[in-house]
Amino acid sequence: MNTADLIWMNGEFVAWEDAKVHVLTHSLHYGTGVFEGIRAYETERGPAIFRHLDHLDRLRKSAQLYYMDIPYSTDDLREATHELIARNGFRSCYIRPLAFRGYGPMGLDPLSNPVEVTIAVWEWGAYLGEEGKRNGVRARVSSWRRISPESLIPHAKACGQYLNSVLAKIEATKAGYEEAILLDHHSNVCEGTGENVFVVRDGTIFTPGHSASILDGINRKSVMEIARDLGYTVVERDIARAELALADELFLTGTAAELTPVRSVDDVELGPPGEITRAIQRVFDDALHGRAERYREWLDPVDVAARSAHAAG
Ligand code: PPE
């Protein structure tokens, strides 16, 4: 994988190869951590982080849901991230903050284990491939259901919960597909292994609502706003499995995947990305890269020049 020079770990900048933990780290055994996936994009004004505060807010909420107090303020984390990007010299990158229960007592009560926080950055290209982003990916409906709110917390972005996505992803890739779409515990369409899902039919855009056990995607929210600004109707409602194959257009959104069209589901061909997908993808891409004035406030620019001047002085 692509590395960086430095990682931020519990308040310090450490060399990539020194960012280590003990094997009895609680979260390594029990999945007791929460994380975020964020991207910074190259813009005219330097690197800019997409919806940074929304991600940091979701990190804190995920932590709360698992009774973890993050011992840093949102300002501290934002500042650390800016500094990390500047010191690593990245113009664009993926950002992975992680808060986890560290080394301490073993056993299932984690409350006396320390909450450790790290932020890593690296260069990460198109998650489902450049070709997939342009021409669409092949997806299958997973035999695994998305974690249900009866057992876990779909709205939290928690480490252990991702075993669900891992099983679905392995199943899909072993069978020759690029991505899996999971149904929820009511057999309605839920989401991809790391993306929210949108169905376009007769000019209207549909996506599952919050009661469908989705993660409240920040790109989902952004794309819904862009679609409405473009004049499309976006409806949040239950989506039946068959509606995937009956869709005129289908696409996924997520930080890693950005907006990725789906060109077939369970080998039913939907064809190349449609007009509505392309129209939204174009504006979304402009928004990410700071080319859309209307969505400028979504970007948190990193003032690299001021930071290196400061470091030099
Ligand atoms: N659902 C899930 C399960 C999910 O993991 C993500 C993000 C989303 C929806 C979309 O959320 P948002 O990024 O806020 O629009 N998945 C992250 C992790 C991917 C990974 O492989 O790791 C991501 O995209 O960063």
Side-chain angles (χ1 to χ4, degrees):
M1 92 178 260
N2 290 321
T3 62
D5 295 336
L6 295 170
I7 287 186
W8 186 88
M9 196 168 184
N10 299 317
E12 317 267 342
F13 292 92
V14 302
W16 179 276
E17 54 278 12
D18 295 333
K20 293 177 180 162
V21 295
H22 195 274
V23 293
L24 293 187
T25 295
H26 198 274
S27 105
L28 210 46
H29 295 249
Y30 306 116
T32 42
V34 297
F35 68 99
E36 269 306 315
I38 314 173
R39 275 188 191 267
Y41 290 90
E42 182 167 5
T43 72
E44 268 170 22
R45 295 185 294 165
I49 305 169
F50 188 66
R51 305 199 77 159
H52 197 187
L53 291 178
D54 290 318
H55 283 282
L56 293 178
D57 181 52
R58 189 170 67 186
L59 180 72
R60 200 165 294 278
K61 287 180 176 147
S62 297
Q64 255 166 14
L65 289 166
Y66 279 98
Y67 305 94
M68 295 164 68
D69 268 331
I70 295 182
Y72 299 95
S73 69
T74 294
D75 253 11
D76 292 341
L77 297 178
R78 175 169 176 257
E79 167 60 27
T81 307
H82 281 219
E83 190 64 28
L84 191 63
I85 291 172
R87 289 206 200 180
N88 280 306
F90 284 142
R91 287 191 295 209
S92 64
C93 59
Y94 186 81
I95 305 164
R96 169 56 58 82
L98 170 70
F100 60 98
R101 291 283 179 183
Y103 175 73
M106 292 309 274
L108 287 169
D109 178 356
L111 296 181
S112 48
N113 293 67
V115 174
E116 303 205 31
V117 184
T118 61
I119 306 169
V121 292
W122 66 87
E123 286 173 314
W124 211 3
Y127 186 63
L128 298 173
E130 270 306 329
E131 155 71 20
K133 214 165 110 183
R134 223 177 1 257
N135 298 323
V137 294
R138 298 176 59 247
R140 68 169 277 176
V141 173
S142 183
S143 74
W144 298 101
R145 294 300 163 92
R146 165 83 170 153
I147 50 167
S148 100
E150 289 149 9
S151 305
L152 281 167
I153 315 174
H155 284 75
K157 201 166 168 60
C159 299
Q161 302 192 159
Y162 275 82
L163 286 174
N164 179 231
S165 291
V166 165
L167 284 173
K169 187 79 181 187
I170 290 174
E171 181 186 59
T173 54
K174 272 186 177 295
Y177 300 85
E178 277 105 44
E179 191 50 292
I181 295 175
L182 288 82
L183 306 181
D184 69 8
H185 60 299
H186 295 305
S187 301
N188 292 317
V189 171
C190 187
E191 58 183 9
T193 62
E195 309 89 8
N196 293 110
V197 59
F198 289 82
V199 170
V200 182
R201 235 184 138 183
D202 298 329
T204 301
I205 302 166
F206 301 95
T207 194
H210 289 278
S211 57
S213 296
I214 60 167
L215 179 74
D216 185 6
I218 289 162
N219 295 279
R220 171 184 183 273
K221 186 160 69 176
S222 309
V223 158
M224 285 168 71
E225 188 171 332
I226 288 171
R228 285 177 177 142
D229 289 346
L230 287 172
Y232 298 113
T233 303
V234 184
V235 180
E236 290 175 79
R237 69 151 168 83
D238 290 346
I239 295 174
R241 173 177 182 161
E243 290 183 89
L244 295 173
L246 292 171
D248 298 324
E249 305 178 28
L250 191 60
F251 62 87
L252 305 169
T253 63
T255 297
E258 301 168 309
L259 193 161
T260 300
V262 178
R263 68 184 165 90
S264 73
V265 183
D266 291 332
D267 301 312
V268 176
E269 291 298 324
L270 305 174
E275 190 189 320
I276 295 179
T277 304
R278 285 199 185 285
I280 297 170
Q281 196 179 31
R282 209 156 31 234
V283 178
F284 181 53
D285 206 54
D286 285 345
L288 296 177
H289 292 89
R291 293 187 299 258
E293 197 51 52
R294 185 169 193 169
Y295 306 111
R296 220 18 107 71
E297 79 212 30
W298 284 347
L299 293 174
D300 178 23
V302 179
D303 195 343
V304 176
R307 280 170 195 278
S308 23
H310 186 251

